[in-house]
Amino acid sequence: MDRNGSTVVTLRGDGAGPQSYDSAIRKAYTAVSRNVPTSEPAERLAQAPNRKDIPGTLFLAGGAPVAAAGSPIAGIGVAGAPSGGLDEKFARAGVAAIAQEH
């Protein structure tokens, strides 16, 4: 997802559940709009539970921002692994792969 919230690339694995696509898009949006991995605002949700009502967001682990010079330029969202921790591990691996290219 780019900085404007537009989906740029979507990959879907065989056997991914029907909710995985929407979850991944919303995680990418949350990561780029907040410029933090989605596990961080998820941990803070108890202090401000109405954050979960922000349209297009999903406060579950699995999203990671892509930044340049400290500013968010894109977000990667992953869903469908057996846990949010694995989703986020794979999203961060995507960010690391992009960083190696540049």
Side-chain angles (χ1 to χ4, degrees):
M1 176 162 296
D2 68 13
R3 178 67 179 124
N4 295 318
S6 298
T7 301
V8 177
V9 175
T10 302
L11 300 173
R12 185 178 180 278
D14 293 341
Q19 75 287 357
S20 296
Y21 175 81
D22 183 58
S23 295
I25 295 297
R26 292 173 57 201
K27 289 177 184 182
Y29 179 82
T30 304
V32 71
S33 65
R34 300 227 169 235
N35 198 26
V36 295
T38 55
S39 60
E40 291 182 28
E43 292 170 358
R44 292 185 239 135
L45 200 56
Q47 294 134 358
N50 57 343
R51 282 187 186 166
K52 68 179 175 12
D53 298 330
I54 299 170
T57 60
L58 186 58
F59 296 99
L60 297 174
V66 179
S71 296
I73 59 169
I76 295 177
V78 176
S83 72
L86 285 174
D87 286 343
E88 194 155 307
K89 176 182 175 182
F90 300 141
R92 289 178 188 242
V95 172
I98 291 169
Q100 288 179 345
E101 292 295 319
H102 298 285

